[in-house]
Amino acid sequence: MASPDLVVVGHVVRDVTREGWRLGGTASFGAAQAQKLGLRVGVVTRVGPDLEMAGIMPKIEIAGRPAARTTTFENTYEGATRRQRVAAQAEPIEEQDIPDAWRDAPMALIGPVCREVSPELPGVFANALVGIAAQGWLRELDAEGHVRRSQWTGPPFWSSCRLLFVSDEDVGDRPEQIDRWAADVPVTVVTRERRGARIHEHGRWRAIDAIPAREVDPTGAGDIFATAFMVRYHETGDAAQAARFASSAAAWSVEAPGIDGVAGRAGIEARMMEHPEVVLR
């Protein structure tokens, strides 16, 4: 089994809304975006018998032991505010779920949805450009399964990464946590929904605006941003180029539900050309 270009680690999710369910989680959005960019993608996840991954992700390699159930999020919206409840949760992803050959992948994006990945697991990818999507470590469930923001107090899950991605919604009123990440991680990215993103590199913060979009469904836009940023950063080593590329990818993603809005390289680059004013500053 050869190594993919990018390995994404995290639970594939059934996102349930009033309209039915669709795929969710960093594993789903990240894999879909990377595949659209022409990469060979491997996903390490655990799902139950209700998801047939070969049919859902036919061109993506899947690894990980079967689970008793698939992680399922129930989503309700009050205006622009999303409330979530975890109706089912698959077992944790462990080191044994990662094929030996995949550990030499050039890129790895670790994106748990709710603490299903141990903070030590990213260290398995010793030679990769490792990106961390922090959201899943910054959540906990109450007694009824409702998702709420939580501060991480365990070992640093970010210790093995070069790129760390988090949204301002995930952090809330704890800016000191962002400062710690910025001091420890070479590149820290804080996505800010319609306000774009802030990026810390070489001891200073810079910002990029969001590219205008006709928003239909914002779910997964942060995961799309993270994946596109990582891929372009791996290609160029330039955070400014990566930020523009990721902003364009995120703009495409919100214009259709779920993964339907994920764009390929030609579309992303064309939209960048339409908005030369959106730059990292």
Side-chain angles (χ1 to χ4, degrees):
M1 181 184 291
S3 169
D5 301 314
L6 170 67
V7 175
V8 189
V9 181
H11 279 168
V12 168
V13 173
R14 294 176 78 249
D15 263 339
V16 179
T17 68
R18 286 176 297 181
E19 292 76 30
W21 76 270
R22 51 180 175 255
L23 287 177
T26 300
S28 300
F29 286 102
Q33 180 62 84
Q35 183 186 44
K36 279 278 194 176
L37 294 175
L39 276 66
R40 195 161 68 85
V41 185
V43 172
V44 181
T45 192
R46 300 192 68 179
V47 298
D50 56 335
L51 279 191
E52 175 49 58
M53 296 303 296
I56 293 172
M57 295 182 170
K59 297 181 181 180
I60 293 172
E61 298 179 68
I62 306 295
R65 292 164 295 160
R69 62 193 64 81
T70 299
T71 296
T72 301
F73 278 65
E74 296 175 348
N75 301 279
T76 57
Y77 288 85
E78 298 177 6
T81 302
R82 181 180 64 173
R83 303 193 184 281
Q84 296 181 295
R85 188 179 81 87
V86 176
Q89 195 166 19
E91 292 85 353
I93 298 169
E94 299 174 342
E95 185 175 334
Q96 63 182 298
D97 293 304
I98 303 172
D100 289 342
W102 290 19
R103 303 178 189 206
D104 293 324
M107 290 180 284
L109 178 61
I110 317 299
V113 294
C114 195
R115 303 194 178 193
E116 73 269 20
V117 176
S118 77
E120 293 84 10
L121 187 141
V124 167
F125 299 96
N127 301 314
L129 172 65
V130 175
I132 295 288
Q135 182 181 67
W137 281 289
L138 305 177
R139 288 171 161 174
E140 62 182 11
L141 307 180
D142 66 16
E144 298 178 344
H146 295 105
V147 177
R148 62 187 183 190
R149 190 185 298 140
S150 176
Q151 187 165 1
W152 177 255
T153 58
F157 55 79
W158 59 90
S159 60
S160 300
C161 77
R162 180 167 180 80
L163 308 174
L164 187 140
F165 303 94
V166 68
S167 74
D168 55 1
E169 179 186 11
D170 296 330
V171 178
D173 58 356
R174 300 190 305 275
E176 70 281 354
Q177 180 63 85
I178 294 178
D179 292 339
R180 181 180 178 188
W181 291 328
D184 290 349
V185 178
V187 180
T188 299
V189 179
V190 182
T191 55
R192 308 170 70 200
E193 297 183 337
R194 299 168 187 84
R195 295 175 294 154
R198 294 193 303 133
I199 297 169
H200 186 275
E201 184 186 35
H202 303 315
R204 69 185 180 114
W205 285 100
R206 292 188 286 172
I208 188 167
D209 294 329
I211 286 179
R214 299 176 298 277
E215 185 175 301
V216 172
D217 179 12
T219 305
D223 298 320
I224 295 296
F225 188 104
T227 307
F229 187 102
M230 168 176 273
V231 171
R232 192 62 180 147
Y233 187 85
H234 184 260
E235 293 170 348
T236 67
D238 188 313
Q241 290 191 49
R244 273 182 47 76
F245 191 80
S247 295
S248 179
W252 276 106
S253 76
V254 303
E255 294 189 334
I259 62 175
D260 293 344
V262 177
R265 194 177 295 267
I268 292 171
E269 291 177 346
R271 197 155 193 161
M272 290 166 60
M273 292 179 65
E274 293 171 3
H275 295 279
E277 78 282 1
V278 179
V279 296
L280 192 63
R281 60 186 190 281

